[in-house]
Amino acid sequence: MSCDLLELALPGVRALRPYQPGKSIEELQRELGLTDVVKLASNENPLGPAPAALQRLAELDPEWLSRYPDGNTTRLKARLAAEYGVSPEQLTIGNGSNDVLELVARAFVAPGDEVVFSAHAFAVYPLVTQAVGGRAVEVPARDWGVDLEAMAQALGARTRVVFLANPNNPTGTWFDAGALEGFLSRIPDHTILVLDEAYAEYMHPPWRSGIAHLPGRENLLVTRSFSKAYGLAGLRCGYGISSPQLADLLNRVRQPFNLNVLAMEAALAALDDEDFLARSKQCNDQGLVQLAEGFDALGLGYIPSAGNFICVELPASAPLVFEALLREGVITRPVANYGMPEHLRISVGTAKENQRFLEALQRVLGTRS
Ligand SMILES: *Cc1c(COP(=O)(O)O)cnc(C)c1O
């Protein structure tokens, strides 16, 4: 019976494997009977949600929950448009930025069309490509980073979309304004470049956003998220900025009420919480240094990262270290499915959480035989 159903599913869906999320705190508590669990697995903000967002949610009129949300997300678009100096027609709001990535595939990729992305890139790119029957073209990376020259050379007549994250997850590598400009000049008119900037708020110069390159470019989409620096991963809100025409096309396949009432209000409030953003960034800067120094002290290699996570290279089997860390009450992220079987990805936590992880790692590696 299940075999027959498989035959009915679209060819792309048949071969799909679902996205594997990081293990949850609750799951580990249940499995191992642990109480004090630290999760450093999904690049969430260790400081929690922006306090201004929490306050806004507490003040919300309950009637808003029984009414449909504003399907056009008017106030959020207006606020974001003012923030970036673009028009509201250039914005596409998503149920997380993942939603926007999927809209791109659904609006533009037909069976057989090519979608280009780098090795060690975000797992959602191949997922949304395959689901619509697109042909995934994975370009080898260079020193763990995106090889922009090789990416440019992989573009062909059937390349409909390029997914490119800056910085990249899970490697944390990034490229500067000059490299971006060079790459943009090689994107043909029949190809849409999706520049995924989910970690933009954590970045420092000379990193530059692609938003400045939007004027005059019909085929560029920059995506952003409230899941990381704003601490709202559980509410699901992200957005894309593009030409009005590109936004209009994405909007045609968007679910009418893809952003819920709570997410919109929280996102609006979070945008005004500059203090929280500054604290989050500082916590991340310090945490990246703390983790790198900890790896140095343990003699472990790592990939220098600009995100809120870092990949450490293990001298022992990464799955075994992952399991041993779980027994220590620390959840990390295996990245074998990203072509990185010898690494674990660690999301930056608070100073205390980072310390707890480093001590657990030392114990785990010290007792292996
Ligand atoms: C976390 C992440 C996102 C954001 O996902 P949301 O759907 O906004 O939670 C997008 N792209 C990359 C590369 C990410 O790591």
Side-chain angles (χ1 to χ4, degrees):
M1 182 64 206
S2 61
C3 189
D4 293 338
L5 267 187
L6 194 65
E7 295 292 313
L8 292 178
L10 299 177
V13 175
R14 263 177 241 162
L16 270 187
R17 289 198 316 163
Y19 179 82
Q20 292 175 352
K23 193 182 262 297
S24 77
I25 292 177
E26 238 191 329
E27 207 180 335
L28 184 62
Q29 285 174 334
R30 207 169 40 233
E31 284 173 11
L32 295 183
L34 298 171
T35 47
D36 188 13
V37 170
V38 171
K39 185 188 178 202
L40 302 175
S42 301
N43 302 348
E44 297 144 339
N45 191 326
L47 303 182
L54 278 186
Q55 192 183 339
R56 177 72 191 109
L57 293 181
E59 289 165 354
L60 205 70
D61 180 348
E63 191 188 334
W64 285 38
L65 295 187
S66 56
R67 303 285 179 196
Y68 276 98
D70 167 16
N72 189 38
T73 55
T74 312
R75 283 181 300 131
L76 183 55
K77 281 187 186 172
R79 176 68 179 79
L80 290 169
E83 179 86 16
Y84 296 112
V86 299
S87 81
E89 292 73 39
Q90 293 180 261
L91 288 154
T92 305
I93 310 293
N95 191 270
S97 58
N98 275 286
D99 191 17
V100 181
L101 302 177
E102 195 192 354
L103 295 180
V104 175
R106 287 180 46 215
F108 291 100
V109 181
D113 284 345
E114 289 175 4
V115 176
V116 171
F117 48 83
S118 174
H120 320 303
F122 194 35
V124 167
Y125 308 156
L127 238 164
V128 299
T129 300
Q130 226 176 301
V132 296
R135 214 169 72 74
V137 178
E138 189 184 282
V139 178
R142 195 169 162 178
D143 299 329
W144 300 111
V146 175
D147 185 342
L148 289 174
E149 178 55 36
M151 293 274 286
Q153 283 177 19
L155 306 179
R158 289 215 71 177
T159 308
R160 195 59 70 241
V161 175
V162 179
F163 287 115
L164 180 58
N166 190 26
N168 183 59
N169 169 29
T171 55
T173 54
W174 60 280
F175 49 87
D176 64 17
L180 173 61
E181 225 162 283
F183 188 66
L184 276 167
S185 72
R186 302 185 58 181
I187 300 288
D189 289 344
H190 64 267
T191 300
I192 291 160
L193 173 61
V194 180
L195 200 53
D196 182 340
E197 296 186 350
Y199 301 93
E201 294 82 5
Y202 291 113
M203 300 303 289
H204 295 275
W207 180 89
R208 283 267 299 282
S209 169
I211 293 172
H213 295 284
L214 285 169
R217 278 198 174 76
E218 290 291 318
N219 54 346
L220 173 63
L221 174 73
V222 179
T223 58
R224 293 284 184 98
S225 175
F226 283 94
S227 299
K228 310 287 158 55
Y230 289 103
L232 300 176
L235 279 174
R236 315 303 303 132
C237 183
Y239 55 96
I241 316 177
S242 64
S243 62
Q245 197 188 4
L246 180 44
D248 170 49
L249 289 162
L250 297 180
N251 197 49
R252 296 181 195 193
V253 287
R254 183 180 64 82
Q255 277 188 42
F257 303 106
N258 63 336
L259 191 72
N260 74 69
V261 168
L262 303 182
M264 177 155 119
E265 294 307 312
L268 273 167
L271 281 168
D272 289 332
D273 201 336
E274 286 167 24
D275 170 64
F276 177 74
L277 205 60
R279 279 193 292 124
S280 299
K281 195 166 173 166
Q282 190 186 31
C283 171
N284 195 62
D285 288 343
Q286 291 168 348
L288 279 173
V289 172
Q290 184 187 4
L291 289 170
E293 286 176 355
F295 296 146
D296 284 338
L298 293 172
L300 299 173
Y302 54 89
I303 304 171
S305 171
N308 66 345
F309 52 86
I310 184 166
C311 283
V312 60
E313 191 178 337
L314 297 165
S317 150
L320 288 184
V321 174
F322 168 73
E323 294 291 336
L325 285 169
L326 287 181
R327 289 191 291 275
E328 296 270 350
V330 179
I331 311 176
T332 60
R333 186 63 165 267
V335 282
N337 57 329
Y338 289 92
M340 303 170 69
E342 277 149 25
H343 288 81
L344 281 181
R345 191 191 67 193
I346 320 301
S347 303
V348 176
T350 61
K352 206 173 141 203
E353 290 172 332
N354 299 333
Q355 187 59 31
R356 170 140 172 227
F357 156 71
L358 287 169
E359 284 168 9
L361 183 63
Q362 182 169 24
R363 272 194 300 276
V364 163
L365 293 177
T367 56
R368 102 201 124 92
S369 58

